[in-house]
Amino acid sequence: MSLKKGSKAPDFTANDQDGKLISLKDYKGKKIALYFYPKDNTPTCTEQACSLRDNIALLKKKGITVIGVSADSEKKHKNFEKKYSLPFTLIADTDQKIINDYGVWGLKKLFGREYMGIVRTTFLINEQGKIDHIIDKVEAKNHAEQIIETWGL
């Protein structure tokens, strides 16, 4: 399934960093920034998470709930959350079902080497559960501002 602007966001149910079951439908009526990132505690992923952390008050003021998703385990997410004081939900998609449903598993290139992995992507989901925007050229250092600007808030 190829998602695009206006598509219904695929629902999901998975555990967060605290082992709590989280479903997208729990957030109906809210704006969601659902961001997919490759791996906890790596430089660019940390930079992105910290941009969101440092601007969480502004994001909340704009009515945006942040949810991160990677294939890391609950335990790795918990360590990442504690190490960087992350004030948002991190979904442990260890079976990569959500990653595949959102189509963010793909070919990547690093230092000339090609491999398969999570392509850093953020889906901006509106209050009705539809995708308003897909950010596929993520600016990790300025990601919070990028979300607000893309959404026009």
Side-chain angles (χ1 to χ4, degrees):
M1 159 173 58
S2 182
L3 297 175
K4 57 187 184 296
K5 187 175 177 172
S7 295
K8 183 178 180 339
D11 195 17
F12 59 80
T13 301
N15 287 345
D16 71 1
Q17 69 267 37
D18 296 316
K20 182 178 165 200
L21 215 52
I22 302 291
S23 292
L24 183 61
K25 65 181 173 232
D26 298 339
Y27 295 90
K28 193 165 172 92
K30 297 184 179 186
K31 286 183 171 74
I32 306 296
L34 184 67
Y35 84 98
F36 290 85
Y37 64 99
K39 196 166 182 54
D40 292 339
N41 289 305
T42 56
T44 306
C45 295
T46 299
E47 188 175 58
Q48 181 180 14
C50 290
S51 167
L52 295 168
R53 175 202 65 202
D54 294 347
N55 292 283
I56 198 70
L58 179 59
L59 289 163
K60 284 182 176 179
K61 187 177 174 188
K62 301 282 186 183
I64 301 168
T65 300
V66 174
I67 301 173
V69 182
S70 83
D72 288 312
S73 67
E74 294 169 34
K75 184 178 178 186
K76 283 185 179 176
H77 279 342
K78 190 65 181 174
N79 290 339
F80 190 44
E81 174 205 31
K82 285 170 96 171
K83 185 174 182 180
Y84 295 101
S85 302
L86 302 177
F88 46 81
T89 299
L90 298 173
I91 301 285
D93 188 22
T94 55
D95 63 2
Q96 299 182 0
K97 181 176 179 350
I98 305 166
I99 290 162
N100 288 319
D101 285 351
Y102 278 80
V104 296
W105 185 260
L107 189 63
K108 298 174 65 167
K109 198 181 263 193
L110 183 65
F111 304 119
R113 185 177 73 86
E114 289 187 345
Y115 62 98
M116 296 299 286
I118 297 172
V119 178
R120 191 180 310 277
T121 309
T122 298
F123 293 83
L124 303 182
I125 302 168
N126 68 26
E127 296 89 339
Q128 290 75 42
K130 297 230 190 265
I131 297 168
D132 275 351
H133 301 281
I134 300 171
I135 303 172
D136 55 7
K137 291 189 179 18
V138 172
E139 298 169 18
K141 196 188 301 190
N142 303 307
H143 197 46
E145 294 91 337
Q146 187 181 23
I147 289 168
I148 291 165
E149 285 173 18
T150 302
W151 228 327
L153 300 174

